[in-house]
Amino acid sequence: MAATTRAITIASNSTYSLLGKKPFLGARSLRLNNLKVSSRTTRSFTCKAIYYPEVTVKEDGQPQTLDYRVFFHDKSGKKLGDGVFNFIVEIPKESSAKMEVATDEPFTPIKQDIKKGKLRFYPYNIHWNYGLLPQTWEDPSLANHEVEGAFGDNDPVDVVEIGESQRKIGEVLKVKPLAALAMIDEGELDWKIVAISLDDPKASLVNDVDDVEKHFPGTLTAIRDWFRDYKIPDGKPANRFGLGNQAVNKDYALKVITETNESWSKLVKRSIPSGELSLV
């Protein structure tokens, strides 16, 4: 008997918290969340990997045998779960309004940050699309002994997307991580994952940190320097970077995503106190 194939599509009308349990990815392994089988019946899955509007599930081998496997493919036939993640844009490139997810508000909307009753702006434009990886969390009670023992900053992991297009606030992009920078902001660890959207013209050319230097020369240094210096005009000290002040490779970036997804998982299961964070 040949293996069967069935199509499933993602439910698009879910209401969710960006820190919560619903339709976004956060780690390399694939678990489908709130997907609807294309039939009259509905089955629920759990997802912490990839958002695709249509996914094909292909069974290889005979059920209840040692060779039986179930794979997930996109429309082109490519297997999913290979290091592609959802990225939510908070701040479009070449803009300066300091937009961010309100992690302490119900349903965690994106809003402009406020300081002393005034809307906050960066002192100059950011030159890349900036945002977060859902279903990640930098645990403020967890010290990272590879980065000077710094504790997490209590936020999702940040992403700097280096593609050519300016994106919109709230836009969801499929990205692949390429590198990571270990920024230390007032003693807190604030990871910056450098990534590129899969629909960017240069996406096929870059797969790791060395490719960024080759095809986007000077970009990693520019990202580091921008985040190092942006608080200086406000009279604050420059931020620092761990791991030798250098960007680390894709494998390390994936390790960061996996570890922070594990922290998020403990958070939403209430294994860790949530404090003021909204898990609605």
Side-chain angles (χ1 to χ4, degrees):
M1 179 184 296
T4 60
T5 300
R6 62 188 185 276
I8 52 180
T9 56
I10 289 183
S12 60
N13 59 352
S14 299
T15 300
Y16 53 86
S17 161
L18 296 184
L19 279 175
K21 300 179 181 178
K22 301 199 176 181
F24 291 105
L25 76 129
R28 297 180 69 184
S29 60
L30 179 65
R31 294 189 313 176
L32 300 174
N33 181 10
N34 294 336
L35 303 189
K36 291 185 178 179
V37 179
S38 296
S39 67
R40 294 182 181 179
T41 60
T42 301
R43 296 173 59 186
S44 295
F45 297 80
T46 304
C47 181
K48 71 174 192 182
I50 298 169
Y51 173 86
Y52 277 86
E54 185 170 315
V55 177
T56 298
V57 180
K58 185 177 181 181
E59 299 170 294
D60 287 351
Q62 294 295 322
Q64 300 181 22
T65 68
L66 295 176
D67 296 327
Y68 180 68
R69 300 290 187 274
V70 177
F71 294 100
F72 301 88
H73 300 253
D74 65 14
K75 289 181 178 180
S76 68
K78 181 181 178 181
K79 291 179 181 177
L80 305 184
D82 57 353
V84 177
F85 298 87
N86 279 331
F87 157 61
I88 297 177
V89 179
E90 294 171 297
I91 304 173
K93 69 184 294 184
E94 302 307 334
S95 66
S96 63
K98 194 175 186 303
M99 309 299 296
E100 63 182 18
V101 165
T103 57
D104 58 348
E105 293 186 14
F107 305 106
T108 56
I110 297 172
K111 69 171 187 179
Q112 189 165 353
D113 192 24
I114 298 173
K115 184 176 182 180
K116 296 181 179 179
K118 295 183 178 181
L119 295 174
R120 291 188 66 188
F121 292 85
Y122 289 122
Y124 32 71
N125 284 354
I126 188 168
H127 308 306
W128 313 273
N129 297 299
Y130 186 55
L132 64 92
L133 285 182
Q135 297 189 356
T136 61
W137 179 56
E138 298 193 52
D139 184 351
S141 69
L142 186 64
N144 189 313
H145 299 293
E146 295 179 6
V147 189
E148 303 179 17
F151 292 84
D153 70 349
N154 201 32
D155 281 325
V157 169
D158 296 329
V159 173
V160 183
E161 194 277 319
I162 63 174
E164 68 176 20
S165 299
Q166 183 189 54
R167 305 298 184 149
K168 297 179 180 179
I169 296 172
E171 189 171 354
V172 180
L173 306 177
K174 289 175 288 190
V175 301
K176 56 181 177 181
L178 306 169
L181 287 159
M183 190 174 92
I184 302 172
D185 181 356
E186 298 182 9
E188 294 181 336
L189 180 56
D190 187 3
W191 286 105
K192 308 298 179 189
I193 302 294
V194 179
I196 191 166
S197 178
L198 295 189
D199 63 2
D200 188 84
K202 290 186 177 181
S204 63
L205 302 177
V206 287
N207 294 291
D208 213 325
V209 63
D210 292 337
D211 299 326
V212 179
E213 287 295 343
K214 180 178 179 181
H215 296 285
F216 294 84
T219 295
L220 293 172
T221 298
I223 292 171
R224 183 196 63 199
D225 291 354
W226 194 98
F227 282 100
R228 181 192 65 197
D229 297 340
Y230 79 90
K231 290 186 175 182
I232 293 176
D234 291 333
K236 293 184 177 182
N239 290 318
R240 299 184 297 111
F241 288 85
L243 302 177
N245 209 38
Q246 300 295 318
V248 291
N249 64 16
K250 175 181 180 177
D251 284 343
Y252 203 108
L254 292 173
K255 180 171 84 79
V256 170
I257 295 170
T258 299
E259 290 174 350
T260 54
N261 172 256
E262 290 170 355
S263 293
W264 168 86
S265 181
K266 294 176 182 177
L267 177 69
V268 297
K269 292 175 182 177
R270 275 54 173 190
S271 301
I272 298 174
S274 60
E276 297 181 355
L277 296 176
S278 172
L279 301 182
V280 176

